[in-house]
Amino acid sequence: MRNVILAGLTASLTLALPMPTAAWADVPSKTIAAGAFLDFDGNPVRHMGKNCTLGAVGTDADGRKVGIAAGHCNPYSEPDDVSALPGAPVGVHIERNDHPVWDKNDIEAGPIGWIRWVSPDMSYRSSIDYMVIEFEPHIQLSSRVLNASGDEVFRIDAVHRGTDGEPALPRVGDKVQNFGAASYEYGAESSNPVAHTPATGVVVESGDGLFRSWAPTQPGDSGGPLIMQGTSEWVGISTRARYDAFPQWESTSAQTILADLNSRAITGSGFVVTDSDD
């Protein structure tokens, strides 16, 4: 078994090697949107890997193609886990391609991008738990959130804004809708039997950059997108299940993520959600 694991690690590291820019002309384009199932170790032997869901895609002020997911999706190594890749440094702008990200359902194609930023506070009650991923040049971004069967779940082509035109939290009583790749793909095997996707729920608490709703999630849905029901407006990402509250499903708002990200001179600053025609 150890040989199999080490073989998987070797394959992962091989896939992670950056490709010369000129070579991307020969790489087929690949479409990525919010809702994609992300993998952070690239080891096909470990079928579930260390997975999360992509929450939003767009471009930054310099035109780079970027995505936003949960910061706590940053890989971590357990003592007996010889196949895991090391996590990215927290609170540091990473400009080297040292921390790859794969599409869980297409690991063989190689990394789709690289971790550029992990928010420094990922505590249990953090309101600023997010990650920035920069995509490779051959990645095409789409507004269409698709499940693994290729069916459109919903679209994201704007940020939810208040009457003042600024990014806003949902209000108590609003309905939000989420998508979690794990809830969709694992179905009846879910660790949370009430989790399904897309899931819709009423917001019961909103403030300090967070909101709680009746839209359930499970592990692997972290980072997944939430929209205002009936719209294509991105309002946040799935963050955690709180065990001291009911309902327990808490999300980090797009408002908080953008305020923090756009205040920094890093990859992702000036983030604008993709508005594609497909």
Side-chain angles (χ1 to χ4, degrees):
M1 176 60 73
R2 181 178 177 84
N3 289 338
V4 172
I5 292 175
L6 291 176
L9 175 59
T10 301
S12 298
L13 294 175
T14 300
L15 287 171
L17 292 174
M19 185 178 295
T21 303
W24 284 116
D26 300 323
V27 177
S29 64
K30 177 180 175 63
T31 299
I32 290 292
F37 213 174
L38 303 180
D39 185 278
F40 296 90
D41 63 20
N43 188 341
V45 175
R46 300 178 66 228
H47 299 292
M48 291 182 64
K50 287 181 166 58
N51 309 129
C52 278
T53 305
L54 182 61
V57 298
T59 53
D60 68 8
D62 292 322
R64 290 170 291 214
K65 292 181 274 192
V66 295
I68 294 173
H72 69 260
C73 296
N74 191 29
Y76 61 91
S77 297
E78 293 160 351
D80 60 347
D81 192 354
V82 298
S83 66
L85 298 181
V90 172
V92 175
H93 185 208
I94 307 158
E95 300 183 78
R96 290 173 53 88
N97 294 346
D98 291 336
H99 304 281
V101 182
W102 287 264
D103 175 351
K104 177 186 179 296
N105 294 316
D106 192 16
I107 287 175
E108 294 76 10
I112 59 173
W114 310 87
I115 298 175
R116 295 295 186 230
W117 173 260
V118 179
S119 56
D121 181 5
M122 292 173 290
S123 63
Y124 182 63
R125 295 306 305 274
S126 168
S127 63
I128 197 63
D129 180 355
Y130 76 97
M131 168 192 295
V132 176
I133 299 163
E134 182 179 0
F135 295 113
E136 286 289 359
H138 70 292
I139 299 299
Q140 302 299 312
L141 305 181
S142 173
S143 297
R144 300 176 65 208
V145 176
L146 307 177
N147 60 32
S149 299
D151 303 317
E152 183 173 316
V153 181
F154 47 70
R155 292 177 61 87
I156 297 176
D157 54 27
V159 174
H160 175 61
R161 298 179 183 274
T163 55
D164 60 358
E166 296 299 318
L169 276 79
R171 298 168 299 180
V172 172
D174 285 341
K175 287 186 177 181
V176 293
Q177 189 171 46
N178 69 28
F179 177 78
S183 287
Y184 179 80
E185 294 199 26
Y186 300 149
E189 300 175 3
S190 169
S191 61
N192 179 358
V194 304
H196 59 283
T197 198
T200 301
V202 174
V203 174
V204 298
E205 184 180 23
S206 183
D208 297 326
L210 301 167
F211 58 94
R212 263 189 314 118
S213 78
W214 282 98
T217 60
Q218 69 156 321
D221 293 342
S222 289
L226 284 96
I227 61 168
M228 300 293 287
Q229 186 187 27
T231 76
S232 57
E233 297 174 358
W234 179 54
V235 73
I237 62 174
S238 298
T239 300
R240 58 183 154 251
R242 279 181 53 190
Y243 299 106
D244 61 347
F246 186 78
Q248 65 264 55
W249 300 292
E250 193 162 54
S251 303
T252 302
S253 69
Q255 178 197 59
T256 296
I257 293 170
L258 294 179
D260 185 79
L261 178 57
N262 292 341
S263 71
R264 303 177 183 275
I266 60 174
T267 301
S269 297
F271 180 80
V272 177
V273 172
T274 290
D275 182 5
S276 63
D277 295 328
D278 58 357

